[in-house]
Amino acid sequence: MFDSLKERLEGIFSKLRSKGRLTEEDISDALREVRRALLEADVNYKIAKDLVERIKDRCLGQEVLSSIMPAQQVYAVVYEELCNLMGGKRERLNFAPKPPSIFTLVGLQGSGKTTTAVKLALRISDSHKPMVVACDLRRPAAVKQLKVLAEKAGVPFFGPEEAGSNNVLDVAKRALTYADSRLIDVIIFDTAGRLHVDDDLMSELERMHKLLNPQEVLLVVDAMTGQEGVNVAQAFQEKAGITGVILTKLDGDARGGAALAVKAATGVPIKLVGVGEHLEDLEEFDAARMAQRILGMGDMEGLLEKIQKSSDVEEIERVQKSLKDDKFTLEDLLVQLRQIQKLGPLDKVMDMLPLPGKVKSQVSDVDFRRIKHVEAIILSMTPEERKRPEIIKGSRKRRIASGSGTNVQMVNQVLRQYQQMKEIFKRFGKGKGKLRGLKIPKGLF
Ligand SMILES: Nc1nc2c(ncn2[C@@H]2O[C@H](COP(=O)(O)OP(=O)(O)O)[C@@H](O)[C@H]2O)c(=O)[nH]1
Ligand SMILES: [Mg+2]
Protein backbone atom coordinates (compact mmCIF):
# COMPACT_ATOMS: atom_id res chain seq x y z
CA MET A 1 0.00 0.00 0.00
CA PHE A 2 1.43 3.37 -1.06
CA ASP A 3 4.89 1.85 -1.35
CA SER A 4 6.50 4.48 -3.50
CA LEU A 5 5.18 7.39 -1.44
CA LYS A 6 6.38 5.67 1.71
CA GLU A 7 9.79 5.13 0.22
CA ARG A 8 10.10 8.73 -0.89
CA LEU A 9 9.15 10.09 2.52
CA GLU A 10 11.49 7.66 4.22
CA GLY A 11 14.32 9.00 2.08
CA ILE A 12 13.46 12.63 2.76
CA PHE A 13 13.36 12.14 6.50
CA SER A 14 16.50 10.08 6.76
CA LYS A 15 18.32 12.85 4.90
CA LEU A 16 16.87 15.41 7.28
CA ARG A 17 17.81 13.40 10.34
CA SER A 18 21.39 13.09 9.19
CA LYS A 19 21.72 16.86 9.40
CA GLY A 20 21.27 17.44 13.11
CA ARG A 21 20.51 21.15 13.39
CA LEU A 22 18.26 22.39 10.63
CA THR A 23 18.24 25.70 8.81
CA GLU A 24 15.17 27.21 7.22
CA GLU A 25 16.60 26.19 3.90
CA ASP A 26 16.94 22.53 4.95
CA ILE A 27 13.30 22.51 5.92
CA SER A 28 12.16 24.25 2.76
CA ASP A 29 14.12 21.82 0.61
CA ALA A 30 12.72 18.82 2.42
CA LEU A 31 9.18 20.11 2.18
CA ARG A 32 9.56 20.80 -1.51
CA GLU A 33 10.45 17.16 -1.86
CA VAL A 34 7.48 16.16 0.24
CA ARG A 35 5.26 18.12 -2.12
CA ARG A 36 6.80 16.43 -5.12
CA ALA A 37 6.27 13.03 -3.50
CA LEU A 38 2.61 13.87 -2.91
CA LEU A 39 2.13 14.93 -6.52
CA GLU A 40 3.71 11.69 -7.66
CA ALA A 41 1.30 9.87 -5.39
CA ASP A 42 -1.42 11.51 -7.50
CA VAL A 43 -2.59 13.98 -4.88
CA ASN A 44 -4.31 17.02 -6.41
CA TYR A 45 -1.92 19.93 -6.92
CA LYS A 46 -3.79 22.44 -4.81
CA ILE A 47 -4.32 20.05 -1.95
CA ALA A 48 -0.64 19.09 -1.91
CA LYS A 49 0.39 22.73 -2.06
CA ASP A 50 -1.91 23.80 0.78
CA LEU A 51 -0.82 20.90 2.93
CA VAL A 52 2.85 21.68 2.49
CA GLU A 53 2.21 25.36 3.20
CA ARG A 54 0.58 24.47 6.49
CA ILE A 55 3.44 22.18 7.41
CA LYS A 56 5.94 24.83 6.48
CA ASP A 57 4.25 27.53 8.55
CA ARG A 58 4.44 25.32 11.58
CA CYS A 59 7.96 24.08 10.94
CA LEU A 60 9.50 27.48 10.45
CA GLY A 61 8.15 28.62 13.79
CA GLN A 62 9.96 28.24 17.10
CA GLU A 63 8.34 24.88 17.59
CA VAL A 64 10.84 23.20 15.30
CA LEU A 65 13.88 25.36 14.70
CA SER A 66 14.79 25.77 18.33
CA SER A 67 14.06 22.22 19.40
CA ILE A 68 16.60 19.60 20.31
CA MET A 69 15.50 17.08 17.72
CA PRO A 70 14.31 19.20 14.82
CA ALA A 71 14.01 16.41 12.24
CA GLN A 72 11.75 14.47 14.59
CA GLN A 73 9.67 17.58 15.07
CA VAL A 74 9.23 18.02 11.33
CA TYR A 75 8.25 14.39 11.15
CA ALA A 76 5.67 14.88 13.90
CA VAL A 77 4.21 17.94 12.16
CA VAL A 78 3.95 16.08 8.85
CA TYR A 79 2.27 13.20 10.65
CA GLU A 80 -0.27 15.47 12.32
CA GLU A 81 -1.05 17.35 9.14
CA LEU A 82 -1.49 14.11 7.19
CA CYS A 83 -3.95 12.94 9.86
CA ASN A 84 -5.86 16.20 9.65
CA LEU A 85 -5.91 16.09 5.88
CA MET A 86 -7.54 12.69 5.99
CA GLY A 87 -10.17 13.78 8.45
CA GLY A 88 -8.50 13.39 11.81
CA LYS A 89 -10.99 11.56 13.92
CA ARG A 90 -12.52 8.22 13.18
CA GLU A 91 -15.89 8.46 11.46
CA ARG A 92 -18.34 5.73 12.21
CA LEU A 93 -21.41 4.63 10.34
CA ASN A 94 -24.66 6.27 11.34
CA PHE A 95 -27.45 3.94 12.29
CA ALA A 96 -31.07 5.04 12.52
CA PRO A 97 -32.33 5.62 16.08
CA LYS A 98 -35.34 3.59 15.09
CA PRO A 99 -34.61 0.61 12.80
CA PRO A 100 -34.29 -0.16 10.01
CA SER A 101 -31.15 1.75 9.02
CA ILE A 102 -30.89 2.19 5.30
CA PHE A 103 -27.56 2.35 3.49
CA THR A 104 -27.12 2.75 -0.25
CA LEU A 105 -23.86 1.99 -2.00
CA VAL A 106 -23.27 4.15 -5.02
CA GLY A 107 -20.38 4.60 -7.43
CA LEU A 108 -18.97 3.83 -10.83
CA GLN A 109 -19.00 0.42 -12.41
CA GLY A 110 -16.23 -1.80 -11.14
CA SER A 111 -15.48 0.29 -8.08
CA GLY A 112 -16.50 -2.56 -5.79
CA LYS A 113 -20.10 -1.79 -4.76
CA THR A 114 -21.49 -5.30 -4.99
CA THR A 115 -18.58 -6.90 -3.19
CA THR A 116 -18.55 -4.17 -0.57
CA ALA A 117 -22.30 -4.49 0.08
CA VAL A 118 -21.75 -8.03 1.31
CA LYS A 119 -18.50 -7.21 3.10
CA LEU A 120 -20.29 -4.47 4.97
CA ALA A 121 -23.22 -6.72 5.88
CA LEU A 122 -20.81 -9.33 7.17
CA ARG A 123 -18.86 -6.74 9.12
CA ILE A 124 -21.86 -5.46 11.04
CA SER A 125 -23.58 -8.81 11.45
CA ASP A 126 -22.11 -9.27 14.95
CA SER A 127 -24.41 -6.61 16.29
CA HIS A 128 -27.06 -6.26 13.57
CA LYS A 129 -29.28 -8.28 11.33
CA PRO A 130 -28.48 -6.89 7.89
CA MET A 131 -29.90 -7.72 4.47
CA VAL A 132 -28.55 -6.87 1.03
CA VAL A 133 -30.81 -5.76 -1.80
CA ALA A 134 -29.98 -5.98 -5.50
CA CYS A 135 -30.92 -2.71 -7.17
CA ASP A 136 -28.47 -2.91 -10.03
CA LEU A 137 -31.03 -4.30 -12.42
CA ARG A 138 -29.40 -3.40 -15.69
CA ARG A 139 -27.28 -6.50 -15.72
CA PRO A 140 -28.79 -9.81 -14.58
CA ALA A 141 -25.24 -10.92 -13.76
CA ALA A 142 -25.04 -8.21 -11.10
CA VAL A 143 -28.07 -9.58 -9.26
CA LYS A 144 -26.65 -13.08 -9.39
CA GLN A 145 -23.26 -11.85 -8.16
CA LEU A 146 -24.80 -10.23 -5.10
CA LYS A 147 -26.95 -13.28 -4.41
CA VAL A 148 -24.03 -15.68 -4.59
CA LEU A 149 -21.84 -13.51 -2.33
CA ALA A 150 -24.68 -13.06 0.16
CA GLU A 151 -25.20 -16.81 0.32
CA LYS A 152 -21.50 -17.32 0.87
CA ALA A 153 -21.58 -14.85 3.75
CA GLY A 154 -24.86 -16.16 5.15
CA VAL A 155 -26.53 -12.78 4.75
CA PRO A 156 -30.23 -12.44 3.75
CA PHE A 157 -30.72 -11.32 0.16
CA PHE A 158 -33.56 -9.60 -1.66
CA GLY A 159 -33.75 -9.05 -5.43
CA PRO A 160 -36.09 -8.64 -8.39
CA GLU A 161 -37.15 -12.28 -8.24
CA GLU A 162 -38.21 -11.96 -4.60
CA ALA A 163 -39.97 -8.69 -5.43
CA GLY A 164 -41.73 -10.07 -8.50
CA SER A 165 -40.72 -6.97 -10.42
CA ASN A 166 -37.80 -5.70 -12.39
CA ASN A 167 -38.33 -2.06 -11.56
CA VAL A 168 -35.76 -0.54 -9.23
CA LEU A 169 -38.27 1.41 -7.15
CA ASP A 170 -40.59 -1.62 -6.82
CA VAL A 171 -37.73 -3.77 -5.66
CA ALA A 172 -36.64 -1.13 -3.15
CA LYS A 173 -40.16 -0.65 -1.80
CA ARG A 174 -40.83 -4.36 -1.43
CA ALA A 175 -37.47 -4.87 0.20
CA LEU A 176 -38.63 -2.58 3.00
CA THR A 177 -41.78 -4.63 3.65
CA TYR A 178 -39.85 -7.87 3.42
CA ALA A 179 -37.25 -6.63 5.92
CA ASP A 180 -39.94 -5.44 8.29
CA SER A 181 -41.51 -8.88 8.54
CA ARG A 182 -38.15 -10.49 9.27
CA LEU A 183 -36.78 -8.13 11.90
CA ILE A 184 -33.98 -7.00 9.61
CA ASP A 185 -32.51 -3.83 11.09
CA VAL A 186 -30.03 -2.74 8.43
CA ILE A 187 -30.84 -2.77 4.72
CA ILE A 188 -27.96 -2.31 2.31
CA PHE A 189 -28.86 -1.42 -1.26
CA ASP A 190 -26.45 -2.25 -4.08
CA THR A 191 -27.10 0.18 -6.94
CA ALA A 192 -26.21 0.34 -10.61
CA GLY A 193 -22.98 1.95 -11.72
CA ARG A 194 -21.92 3.51 -14.98
CA LEU A 195 -18.60 4.05 -16.64
CA HIS A 196 -18.98 7.79 -16.06
CA VAL A 197 -21.07 10.04 -13.91
CA ASP A 198 -24.17 10.75 -16.05
CA ASP A 199 -27.64 12.24 -15.66
CA ASP A 200 -29.40 8.93 -16.07
CA LEU A 201 -27.54 7.45 -13.15
CA MET A 202 -28.06 10.49 -10.96
CA SER A 203 -31.79 10.66 -11.58
CA GLU A 204 -32.18 6.96 -10.74
CA LEU A 205 -30.29 7.55 -7.51
CA GLU A 206 -32.36 10.62 -6.75
CA ARG A 207 -35.61 8.65 -7.11
CA MET A 208 -34.28 5.86 -4.91
CA HIS A 209 -33.08 8.23 -2.24
CA LYS A 210 -36.40 10.05 -2.18
CA LEU A 211 -38.16 6.79 -1.54
CA LEU A 212 -35.67 5.35 0.93
CA ASN A 213 -34.41 8.37 2.82
CA PRO A 214 -31.14 6.58 3.67
CA GLN A 215 -29.00 7.14 6.78
CA GLU A 216 -25.89 6.58 4.76
CA VAL A 217 -25.19 7.15 1.10
CA LEU A 218 -21.81 5.53 0.77
CA LEU A 219 -19.75 6.24 -2.29
CA VAL A 220 -17.53 3.34 -3.26
CA VAL A 221 -14.30 4.56 -4.84
CA ASP A 222 -11.53 2.49 -6.33
CA ALA A 223 -8.30 3.75 -4.71
CA MET A 224 -6.33 2.82 -7.79
CA THR A 225 -8.05 5.61 -9.71
CA GLY A 226 -6.24 8.24 -7.62
CA GLN A 227 -7.10 11.82 -8.42
CA GLU A 228 -9.78 10.73 -10.89
CA GLY A 229 -11.49 8.94 -8.00
CA VAL A 230 -11.49 12.23 -6.11
CA ASN A 231 -13.13 13.98 -9.08
CA VAL A 232 -15.80 11.30 -9.18
CA ALA A 233 -16.38 11.78 -5.46
CA GLN A 234 -16.83 15.51 -5.98
CA ALA A 235 -19.38 14.89 -8.73
CA PHE A 236 -21.36 12.43 -6.60
CA GLN A 237 -21.19 14.76 -3.64
CA GLU A 238 -22.66 17.62 -5.65
CA LYS A 239 -25.34 15.56 -7.35
CA ALA A 240 -26.25 12.76 -5.01
CA GLY A 241 -25.25 14.02 -1.57
CA ILE A 242 -23.02 11.32 -0.16
CA THR A 243 -22.44 10.84 3.58
CA GLY A 244 -19.31 8.75 3.46
CA VAL A 245 -16.70 7.19 1.22
CA ILE A 246 -15.58 3.59 1.09
CA LEU A 247 -12.19 3.32 -0.53
CA THR A 248 -11.58 -0.08 -2.12
CA LYS A 249 -8.55 -1.96 -3.44
CA LEU A 250 -6.11 -0.41 -1.01
CA ASP A 251 -4.35 -3.76 -1.11
CA GLY A 252 -3.22 -3.03 -4.66
CA ASP A 253 -0.48 -0.66 -5.66
CA ALA A 254 -2.62 2.44 -5.29
CA ARG A 255 -0.42 5.50 -5.06
CA GLY A 256 -2.34 7.17 -2.27
CA GLY A 257 -3.90 10.16 -4.02
CA ALA A 258 -7.49 9.19 -3.32
CA ALA A 259 -6.95 8.27 0.33
CA LEU A 260 -5.12 11.50 1.05
CA ALA A 261 -7.28 13.93 -0.85
CA VAL A 262 -10.88 12.76 -0.90
CA LYS A 263 -11.84 14.30 2.45
CA ALA A 264 -10.20 17.61 1.65
CA ALA A 265 -11.84 17.74 -1.78
CA THR A 266 -15.37 16.76 -0.79
CA GLY A 267 -15.67 17.36 2.94
CA VAL A 268 -16.98 13.80 3.17
CA PRO A 269 -15.05 11.40 5.39
CA ILE A 270 -13.70 8.02 4.39
CA LYS A 271 -15.51 5.58 6.65
CA LEU A 272 -14.28 2.20 5.52
CA VAL A 273 -11.55 0.74 3.37
CA GLY A 274 -11.47 -2.42 1.27
CA VAL A 275 -8.17 -4.20 1.61
CA GLY A 276 -8.63 -7.41 -0.35
CA GLU A 277 -10.92 -9.63 -2.34
CA HIS A 278 -12.13 -11.73 0.56
CA LEU A 279 -15.38 -10.87 2.27
CA GLU A 280 -13.57 -10.17 5.55
CA ASP A 281 -11.32 -7.59 3.92
CA LEU A 282 -13.16 -4.45 4.94
CA GLU A 283 -11.72 -2.26 7.70
CA GLU A 284 -12.67 0.88 9.50
CA PHE A 285 -10.75 3.84 8.15
CA ASP A 286 -8.54 5.49 10.70
CA ALA A 287 -6.65 8.59 9.57
CA ALA A 288 -3.99 8.24 12.26
CA ARG A 289 -3.25 4.69 11.31
CA MET A 290 -3.18 5.54 7.65
CA ALA A 291 -0.75 8.40 8.28
CA GLN A 292 1.43 6.01 10.28
CA ARG A 293 1.46 3.57 7.42
CA ILE A 294 2.30 6.24 4.90
CA LEU A 295 5.15 7.50 7.05
CA GLY A 296 6.42 3.98 7.54
CA MET A 297 5.71 3.99 11.26
CA GLY A 298 3.90 0.68 10.92
CA ASP A 299 0.36 -0.04 11.93
CA MET A 300 1.05 -1.52 15.33
CA GLU A 301 -2.49 -1.18 16.56
CA GLY A 302 -3.88 -2.94 13.53
CA LEU A 303 -1.37 -5.69 13.90
CA LEU A 304 -2.05 -6.15 17.58
CA GLU A 305 -5.74 -6.39 16.85
CA LYS A 306 -5.12 -9.06 14.27
CA ILE A 307 -2.82 -11.00 16.55
CA GLN A 308 -5.27 -10.81 19.40
CA LYS A 309 -8.01 -12.15 17.18
CA SER A 310 -6.15 -14.98 15.59
CA SER A 311 -3.32 -16.20 17.72
CA ASP A 312 -2.96 -19.06 20.03
CA VAL A 313 -0.95 -17.18 22.60
CA GLU A 314 0.12 -20.23 24.58
CA GLU A 315 1.59 -21.93 21.55
CA ILE A 316 3.46 -18.80 20.66
CA GLU A 317 4.79 -18.41 24.16
CA ARG A 318 6.12 -21.92 24.03
CA VAL A 319 7.90 -21.14 20.78
CA GLN A 320 9.25 -17.95 22.26
CA LYS A 321 10.76 -19.81 25.08
CA SER A 322 12.54 -22.08 22.64
CA LEU A 323 13.68 -19.01 20.77
CA LYS A 324 15.10 -17.52 23.89
CA ASP A 325 16.92 -20.72 24.70
CA ASP A 326 18.15 -20.80 21.13
CA LYS A 327 16.35 -24.07 20.56
CA PHE A 328 14.12 -22.98 17.72
CA THR A 329 13.34 -26.16 15.83
CA LEU A 330 11.55 -26.96 12.61
CA GLU A 331 8.53 -28.01 14.65
CA ASP A 332 8.49 -24.53 16.15
CA LEU A 333 8.75 -23.13 12.67
CA LEU A 334 5.65 -25.07 11.73
CA VAL A 335 3.76 -23.59 14.68
CA GLN A 336 4.90 -20.11 13.74
CA LEU A 337 3.95 -20.58 10.12
CA ARG A 338 0.49 -21.70 11.08
CA GLN A 339 0.07 -18.72 13.39
CA ILE A 340 1.29 -16.28 10.82
CA GLN A 341 -0.95 -17.83 8.22
CA LYS A 342 -3.92 -17.18 10.48
CA LEU A 343 -3.10 -13.47 10.36
CA GLY A 344 -3.80 -13.41 6.65
CA PRO A 345 -1.63 -12.77 3.62
CA LEU A 346 1.88 -12.05 4.77
CA ASP A 347 2.47 -8.95 2.70
CA LYS A 348 -0.42 -7.30 4.53
CA VAL A 349 1.00 -8.24 7.91
CA MET A 350 4.40 -7.00 6.83
CA ASP A 351 2.88 -3.74 5.70
CA MET A 352 1.83 -3.09 9.26
CA LEU A 353 5.25 -3.62 10.76
CA PRO A 354 7.68 -0.77 11.20
CA LEU A 355 10.54 -2.70 9.63
CA PRO A 356 12.99 -1.55 6.99
CA GLY A 357 11.85 -2.40 3.45
CA LYS A 358 14.71 -4.86 3.01
CA VAL A 359 13.68 -7.05 5.91
CA LYS A 360 10.08 -6.96 4.73
CA SER A 361 10.94 -8.20 1.29
CA GLN A 362 13.08 -10.97 2.78
CA VAL A 363 10.21 -12.22 4.85
CA SER A 364 7.66 -11.76 2.10
CA ASP A 365 9.75 -13.99 -0.11
CA VAL A 366 8.82 -16.86 2.14
CA ASP A 367 5.97 -18.38 0.19
CA PHE A 368 3.25 -19.14 2.67
CA ARG A 369 0.79 -20.31 0.11
CA ARG A 370 2.80 -23.47 0.04
CA ILE A 371 2.45 -24.02 3.73
CA LYS A 372 0.92 -27.45 3.15
CA HIS A 373 4.10 -28.55 1.42
CA VAL A 374 6.21 -27.09 4.16
CA GLU A 375 4.15 -29.01 6.65
CA ALA A 376 4.50 -32.25 4.69
CA ILE A 377 8.25 -31.77 4.41
CA ILE A 378 8.73 -31.12 8.11
CA LEU A 379 6.53 -34.05 9.03
CA SER A 380 8.60 -36.34 6.78
CA MET A 381 11.70 -35.68 8.84
CA THR A 382 12.72 -37.76 11.82
CA PRO A 383 12.28 -36.09 15.22
CA GLU A 384 16.04 -35.83 15.45
CA GLU A 385 16.21 -34.05 12.12
CA ARG A 386 13.54 -31.59 13.14
CA LYS A 387 15.58 -30.69 16.16
CA ARG A 388 18.90 -30.49 14.38
CA PRO A 389 18.25 -29.78 10.69
CA GLU A 390 21.95 -29.37 10.01
CA ILE A 391 22.30 -33.17 10.02
CA ILE A 392 20.07 -33.46 6.95
CA LYS A 393 22.32 -34.38 4.03
CA GLY A 394 21.77 -35.21 0.36
CA SER A 395 20.31 -38.73 0.57
CA ARG A 396 17.99 -37.77 3.44
CA LYS A 397 16.82 -34.75 1.49
CA ARG A 398 15.80 -37.05 -1.35
CA ARG A 399 13.95 -39.35 1.07
CA ILE A 400 12.19 -36.42 2.68
CA ALA A 401 11.26 -35.06 -0.74
CA SER A 402 9.71 -38.34 -1.86
CA GLY A 403 8.09 -38.89 1.53
CA SER A 404 6.37 -35.52 1.32
CA GLY A 405 5.54 -35.62 -2.38
CA THR A 406 7.79 -32.65 -3.10
CA ASN A 407 11.33 -32.29 -4.47
CA VAL A 408 14.79 -31.65 -3.11
CA GLN A 409 14.68 -28.05 -4.18
CA MET A 410 11.64 -27.47 -2.01
CA VAL A 411 13.25 -29.25 0.93
CA ASN A 412 16.24 -26.95 0.56
CA GLN A 413 13.94 -23.98 0.41
CA VAL A 414 12.24 -24.94 3.66
CA LEU A 415 15.60 -25.33 5.35
CA ARG A 416 16.63 -21.92 4.10
CA GLN A 417 13.39 -20.38 5.26
CA TYR A 418 13.94 -21.91 8.64
CA GLN A 419 17.35 -20.28 8.93
CA GLN A 420 15.92 -16.96 7.76
CA MET A 421 13.04 -17.02 10.18
CA LYS A 422 15.30 -18.02 13.00
CA GLU A 423 17.50 -15.02 12.37
CA ILE A 424 14.66 -12.58 11.91
CA PHE A 425 12.77 -13.75 14.97
CA LYS A 426 15.92 -13.51 16.99
CA ARG A 427 16.56 -10.00 15.81
CA PHE A 428 13.10 -8.71 16.51
CA GLY A 429 12.37 -10.83 19.53
CA LYS A 430 14.35 -8.64 21.87
CA GLY A 431 11.87 -5.86 22.46
CA LYS A 432 9.48 -5.48 25.35
CA GLY A 433 6.77 -8.05 25.47
CA LYS A 434 3.89 -6.07 26.86
CA LEU A 435 1.86 -3.26 25.45
CA ARG A 436 -1.55 -2.23 26.65
CA GLY A 437 -2.03 -5.40 28.59
CA LEU A 438 -1.64 -7.60 25.56
CA LYS A 439 1.24 -9.99 25.52
CA ILE A 440 2.91 -9.53 22.18
CA PRO A 441 4.17 -12.78 20.79
CA LYS A 442 7.73 -11.63 20.55
CA GLY A 443 8.68 -14.31 18.10
CA LEU A 444 6.50 -12.75 15.48
CA PHE A 445 8.62 -9.68 15.22
N1 LIG B 1 -8.18 -6.51 -4.43
C1 LIG B 1 -9.38 -6.01 -4.18
N2 LIG B 1 -10.36 -6.21 -5.04
C2 LIG B 1 -11.58 -5.69 -4.78
C3 LIG B 1 -11.83 -4.94 -3.61
N3 LIG B 1 -13.13 -4.57 -3.63
C4 LIG B 1 -13.65 -5.05 -4.78
N4 LIG B 1 -12.72 -5.74 -5.47
C5 LIG B 1 -12.85 -6.40 -6.79
O1 LIG B 1 -13.23 -5.45 -7.76
C6 LIG B 1 -14.01 -6.05 -8.78
C7 LIG B 1 -15.30 -5.25 -9.00
O2 LIG B 1 -16.10 -5.36 -7.85
P1 LIG B 1 -17.69 -5.26 -7.89
O3 LIG B 1 -18.16 -5.41 -6.49
O4 LIG B 1 -18.27 -6.20 -8.89
O5 LIG B 1 -17.87 -3.76 -8.40
P2 LIG B 1 -19.20 -2.97 -8.79
O6 LIG B 1 -19.27 -2.97 -10.29
O7 LIG B 1 -19.01 -1.59 -8.24
O8 LIG B 1 -20.36 -3.68 -8.16
C8 LIG B 1 -14.29 -7.46 -8.29
O9 LIG B 1 -13.43 -8.34 -8.97
C9 LIG B 1 -13.95 -7.43 -6.83
O10 LIG B 1 -13.51 -8.67 -6.34
C10 LIG B 1 -10.74 -4.73 -2.68
O11 LIG B 1 -10.84 -4.08 -1.64
N5 LIG B 1 -9.55 -5.30 -3.03
MG1 LIG C 1 -22.06 -4.38 -8.99
Side-chain angles (χ1 to χ4, degrees):
M1 192 191 294
F2 310 152
D3 286 342
S4 56
L5 176 60
K6 214 158 38 183
E7 231 165 76
R8 288 288 304 269
L9 294 174
E10 227 169 62
I12 296 169
F13 283 110
S14 77
K15 207 159 97 190
L16 212 53
R17 266 191 293 269
S18 69
K19 288 196 156 107
R21 280 203 99 71
L22 300 182
T23 63
E24 286 198 19
E25 201 186 345
D26 292 332
I27 293 181
S28 297
D29 286 350
L31 292 182
R32 199 172 311 123
E33 282 185 56
V34 169
R35 193 180 65 184
R36 209 171 300 143
L38 290 169
L39 294 178
E40 273 167 31
D42 207 16
V43 176
N44 168 280
Y45 177 78
K46 182 159 185 329
I47 291 174
K49 185 165 162 279
D50 289 351
L51 174 73
V52 169
E53 286 297 315
R54 278 197 302 278
I55 296 172
K56 198 165 170 176
D57 281 349
R58 288 183 58 186
C59 287
L60 293 184
Q62 289 305 305
E63 183 182 357
V64 170
L65 284 176
S66 61
S67 75
I68 308 170
M69 294 197 292
Q72 259 76 358
Q73 292 284 348
V74 176
Y75 195 69
V77 171
V78 172
Y79 167 67
E80 271 178 35
E81 291 296 336
L82 281 179
C83 288
N84 291 342
L85 182 71
M86 289 186 285
K89 61 184 193 317
R90 224 183 270 201
E91 297 275 356
R92 299 187 190 278
L93 292 169
N94 289 312
F95 291 91
K98 186 172 161 291
S101 301
I102 290 168
F103 299 168
T104 60
L105 296 195
V106 304
L108 296 188
Q109 204 168 306
S111 58
K113 291 178 298 302
T114 304
T115 320
T116 306
V118 179
K119 282 181 176 178
L120 177 57
L122 189 64
R123 191 183 159 82
I124 61 176
S125 57
D126 280 351
S127 45
H128 294 276
K129 193 171 175 212
M131 173 173 89
V132 292
V133 183
C135 281
D136 178 358
L137 305 183
R138 265 153 230 275
R139 297 178 308 130
V143 176
K144 180 91 188 294
Q145 183 195 2
L146 184 68
K147 187 170 185 161
V148 168
L149 289 175
E151 258 164 31
K152 199 168 152 198
V155 169
F157 164 88
F158 190 88
E161 208 171 288
E162 287 73 11
S165 163
N166 210 34
N167 173 292
V168 174
L169 292 183
D170 280 347
V171 175
K173 222 179 290 172
R174 285 171 200 168
L176 297 179
T177 328
Y178 182 91
D180 192 43
S181 64
R182 281 169 182 75
L183 301 175
I184 301 273
D185 65 350
V186 181
I187 316 175
I188 301 171
F189 291 84
D190 179 27
T191 68
R194 304 281 197 289
L195 292 173
H196 306 282
V197 177
D198 66 22
D199 293 342
D200 230 22
L201 171 65
M202 290 305 157
S203 65
E204 180 173 308
L205 282 180
E206 200 184 323
R207 284 196 302 274
M208 271 188 80
H209 287 162
K210 217 167 182 176
L211 170 80
L212 294 171
N213 193 19
Q215 264 67 51
E216 291 277 7
V217 178
L218 298 165
L219 176 70
V220 181
V221 178
D222 178 343
M224 310 283 277
T225 58
Q227 213 179 126
E228 184 46 34
V230 177
N231 297 340
V232 169
Q234 266 172 329
F236 269 90
Q237 168 60 356
E238 277 160 25
K239 299 190 171 128
I242 52 181
T243 59
V245 171
I246 301 179
L247 210 53
T248 60
K249 308 185 198 178
L250 273 181
D251 49 309
D253 54 1
R255 284 184 289 168
L260 284 164
V262 80
K263 172 77 200 303
T266 61
V268 178
I270 300 173
K271 293 200 170 172
L272 296 156
V273 287
V275 293
E277 296 197 45
H278 293 116
L279 294 176
E280 296 79 23
D281 295 335
L282 184 72
E283 296 174 358
E284 241 177 41
F285 177 75
D286 181 335
R289 265 194 208 177
M290 193 57 81
Q292 285 168 20
R293 280 191 187 179
I294 291 171
L295 285 174
M297 291 154 82
D299 180 8
M300 293 310 287
E301 250 178 81
L303 187 64
L304 291 179
E305 220 171 71
K306 260 178 181 288
I307 289 171
Q308 207 164 21
K309 263 196 203 152
S310 57
S311 294
D312 181 343
V313 176
E314 268 173 38
E315 265 302 305
I316 291 179
E317 275 174 357
R318 193 182 61 69
V319 174
Q320 261 143 39
K321 191 168 169 341
S322 67
L323 264 171
K324 211 166 97 201
D325 304 341
D326 205 14
K327 283 185 196 139
F328 184 64
T329 66
L330 278 160
E331 272 164 20
D332 297 328
L333 172 65
L334 201 54
V335 172
Q336 287 281 8
L337 289 179
R338 285 173 179 159
Q339 293 291 349
I340 289 178
Q341 208 195 21
K342 277 199 231 162
L343 293 176
L346 196 65
D347 50 345
K348 267 187 227 164
V349 176
M350 280 292 134
D351 224 24
M352 296 179 175
L353 283 173
L355 303 181
K358 204 166 138 237
V359 177
K360 283 186 196 182
S361 65
Q362 261 176 21
V363 182
S364 299
D365 281 345
V366 184
D367 189 351
F368 288 95
R369 277 166 303 183
R370 287 158 65 188
I371 196 158
K372 282 274 165 261
H373 287 153
V374 177
E375 194 171 349
I377 287 170
I378 295 176
L379 293 174
S380 300
M381 296 172 185
T382 64
E384 187 56 21
E385 285 168 339
R386 276 178 233 156
K387 285 200 191 85
R388 297 195 305 131
E390 61 276 10
I391 64 172
I392 303 173
K393 299 286 181 256
S395 66
R396 277 302 301 160
K397 281 181 188 168
R398 282 192 293 279
R399 293 284 295 275
I400 291 167
S402 70
S404 59
T406 61
N407 55 45
V408 173
Q409 219 179 344
M410 286 169 77
V411 174
N412 280 330
Q413 202 184 1
V414 169
L415 293 172
R416 257 200 321 274
Q417 284 172 359
Y418 159 72
Q419 276 305 336
Q420 250 184 24
M421 304 276 292
K422 191 171 169 172
E423 271 156 40
I424 288 167
F425 287 154
K426 244 167 120 171
R427 237 174 100 188
F428 292 99
K430 291 183 184 137
K432 283 247 174 290
K434 275 197 169 180
L435 194 67
R436 292 203 191 161
L438 170 74
K439 256 198 138 97
I440 305 173
K442 283 185 220 151
L444 278 175
F445 307 139

